[in-house]
């Protein structure tokens, strides 16, 4: 079958790989319809996230149709449309037995698209427990957003956001926009930043205000928040923690969401103590899919987020449109998409 295989920093190839088969009675085989490109996929190719080995099929925001089920599978049948939960675990270590699946001692060995074969492929095989039925009437495009929506929803909830509070979301890629959609519903004020004009214009239709990062001066922050700064700041980029700490109010919370292994920042513990600040990094949730499916039922704007669809043969176009980098030359190009999906 055809699949997109990681070939080292900055490289991903369309290759023929062995088609997966059922290995246990609990396995299910899925004909992948499409897979969303995640920011972590960008970081893997850019060499900013060392989680995938060469030869691994990438992709983890996959949706598709069940084509075969193991003998022990009872809640799924051939023809069902499903969302694949890529966040998996060993199920037997101490943390898994305590229900802390996202902190599985063997977590790195059980991640679809990182260490397990991913969904930038024609077929996927995995345990039935990680597959969720797509509600009737939900499009493939919206279904492909459920996994990142779940991550965003859980991050906002872990921050303890209150209806009277204000939120700054740094970055207006797909994750940033999903966070903005959620916080716009749950808070009194949501402000977005984004350097790219295309995405900033998109964010203007989601958040209360969408600014270029250079516009986020202390004076503007004071005007927007009534002099208090922001109660919650979400870094949806992965390298903006310093900016977040400058923009957060006393007693506020900073949520680092983006991934960038190369980023470092100095933090003065006394500032955290004196200002009563919390850095809320414990945001993973093993079952992010279930809550997100329910929450998505009242989010019509999700249908607009997928702005680019390509076949696997044109994967470079989709990555370049969302990364802003030419994969072959490494040169910067214009970001021309909010969320891109690759059809299998």
């Amino acid at each position: 079958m055809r699949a997109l295989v990681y070939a080292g920093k900055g490289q991903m190839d369309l290759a023929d790989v062995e088609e997966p088969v059922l290995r246990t009675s609990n396995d299910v085989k899925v004909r992948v319809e499409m897979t969303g490109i995640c920011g972590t996929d960008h970081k893997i190719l850019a060499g900013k996230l060392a989680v995938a080995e060469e030869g691994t099929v990438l992709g983890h925001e996959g949706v598709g149709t069940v084509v075969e089920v193991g003998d022990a599978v009872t809640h799924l049948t051939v023809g069902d449309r499903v969302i694949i939960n890529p966040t998996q675990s060993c199920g037997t270590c101490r943390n898994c037995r305590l229900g802390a699946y996202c902190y599985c001692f063997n977590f790195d060995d059980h991640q679809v698209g990182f260490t397990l074969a991913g969904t930038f492929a024609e077929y996927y095989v995995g345990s039935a427990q990680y597959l969720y039925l797509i509600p009737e009437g939900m499009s493939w495009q919206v279904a492909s957003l459920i996994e990142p929506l779940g991550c965003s929803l859980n991050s906002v909830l872990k921050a303890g956001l209150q209806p009277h509070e204000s939120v700054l979301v740094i970055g207006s890629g797909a994750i940033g926009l999903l966070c903005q959609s959620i916080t716009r519903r749950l808070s009194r004020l949501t402000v977005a930043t984004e350097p790219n004009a295309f995405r900033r214009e998109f964010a203007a239709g989601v958040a209360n205000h969408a600014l270029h990062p250079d516009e986020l001066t202390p004076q503007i922050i004071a005007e927007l928040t009534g002099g208090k700064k922001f109660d919650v700041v979400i870094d949806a980029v992965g390298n903006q923690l310093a900016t977040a700490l400058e923009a957060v109010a006393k007693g506020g919370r900073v949520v680092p969401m983006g991934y960038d292994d190369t980023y470092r920042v100095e933090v003065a513990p006394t500032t955290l103590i004196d200002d009563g600040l919390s850095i809320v990094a414990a945001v993973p949730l093993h079952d992010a899919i279930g809550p997100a499916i329910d929450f998505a039922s009242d989010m019509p704007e999700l249908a607009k987020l997928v702005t680019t669809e390509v076949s696997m043969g044109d994967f470079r176009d989709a990555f370049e449109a969302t990364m802003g980098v030419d994969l072959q030359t490494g040169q910067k190009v214009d970001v021309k998409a909010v969320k891109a999906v690759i059809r299998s």
Side-chain angles (χ1 to χ4, degrees):
M1 69 172 184
R2 297 187 312 156
L4 298 178
V5 177
Y6 180 55
K9 181 180 177 181
Q11 299 180 59
M12 186 167 62
D13 297 329
L14 177 60
D16 288 322
V17 301
E18 187 175 351
E19 187 173 314
V21 297
L22 271 60
R23 297 153 298 184
T24 76
S25 60
N26 290 306
D27 277 352
V28 174
K29 186 172 184 177
V30 177
R31 173 68 173 88
V32 180
E33 177 71 22
M34 64 175 57
T35 298
I37 297 177
C38 178
T40 55
D41 297 318
H42 294 166
K43 299 294 172 58
I44 289 170
L45 288 185
K48 296 182 178 181
L49 190 60
V51 295
E53 296 183 357
E54 290 189 30
T56 300
V57 177
L58 298 182
H60 60 274
E61 295 179 358
V63 295
T65 303
V66 173
V67 294
E68 187 179 358
V69 298
D71 293 339
V73 177
T74 58
H75 75 287
L76 295 170
T77 59
V78 171
D80 284 342
R81 298 192 311 145
V82 293
I83 298 166
I84 299 162
N85 183 358
T87 307
Q88 303 179 10
S89 64
C90 75
T92 58
C93 71
R94 176 176 173 79
N95 276 0
C96 282
R97 288 177 180 272
L98 292 172
Y101 302 107
C102 272
Y103 303 109
C104 169
F105 293 160
N106 306 300
F107 189 75
D108 290 343
D109 296 330
H110 296 272
Q111 302 314 297
V112 173
F114 298 162
T115 52
L116 299 179
T119 58
F120 286 146
E122 293 179 290
Y123 292 96
Y124 164 85
V125 169
S127 176
Q129 74 184 89
Y130 297 114
L131 301 179
Y132 292 74
L133 283 170
I134 297 174
E136 186 176 351
M138 179 179 285
S139 70
W140 287 118
Q141 291 80 3
V142 171
S144 74
L145 290 166
I146 291 298
E147 191 273 341
L149 175 63
C151 296
S152 303
L153 178 61
N154 196 56
S155 294
V156 172
L157 295 178
K158 286 288 186 73
L161 181 63
Q162 301 297 310
H164 63 278
E165 292 184 317
S166 60
V167 182
L168 170 65
V169 180
I170 303 174
S172 298
I175 287 292
L177 288 164
L178 289 170
C179 288
Q180 293 161 30
S181 291
I182 296 165
T183 60
R184 181 70 186 270
R185 287 169 162 78
L186 303 180
S187 69
R188 72 173 179 85
L189 172 70
T190 293
V191 176
T193 63
E194 172 57 47
N196 176 260
F198 175 82
R199 288 181 170 174
R200 189 168 62 252
E201 181 179 355
F202 203 97
V206 179
N208 297 105
H209 303 277
L211 309 175
H212 189 284
D214 293 343
E215 296 179 280
L216 199 70
T217 63
Q219 179 181 353
I220 294 298
I221 292 174
E223 290 177 1
L224 290 171
T225 64
K228 184 185 177 184
K229 295 188 177 181
F230 294 96
D231 299 293
V232 173
V233 182
I234 298 172
D235 172 14
V237 180
N239 58 12
Q240 297 295 309
L241 187 58
T243 300
L245 289 168
E246 287 291 329
V248 70
K250 288 186 176 183
R253 288 85 70 203
V254 171
V255 182
M257 272 205 73
Y259 279 83
D260 187 341
D261 278 346
T262 67
Y263 178 65
R264 299 291 184 272
V265 65
E266 281 191 2
V267 177
T270 53
T271 299
L272 300 179
I273 296 168
D274 292 345
D275 289 351
L277 303 180
S278 297
I279 298 177
V280 185
V283 295
L285 176 70
H286 192 66
D287 180 15
I289 306 294
I293 289 174
D294 291 337
F295 198 75
S297 64
D298 192 33
M299 298 183 72
E301 69 271 25
L302 290 179
K304 302 177 182 179
L305 282 184
V306 175
T307 57
T308 299
E309 291 184 38
V310 302
S311 65
M312 279 196 286
D314 296 321
F315 72 92
R316 286 187 176 85
D317 294 340
F319 269 84
E320 290 170 4
T322 50
M323 288 180 70
V325 176
D326 186 308
L327 292 183
Q328 294 184 324
T329 67
Q331 299 297 310
K332 288 188 176 181
V333 297
D334 289 338
V335 172
K336 299 176 291 186
V338 173
K339 184 69 172 182
V341 297
I342 295 177
R343 286 188 171 273
S344 297

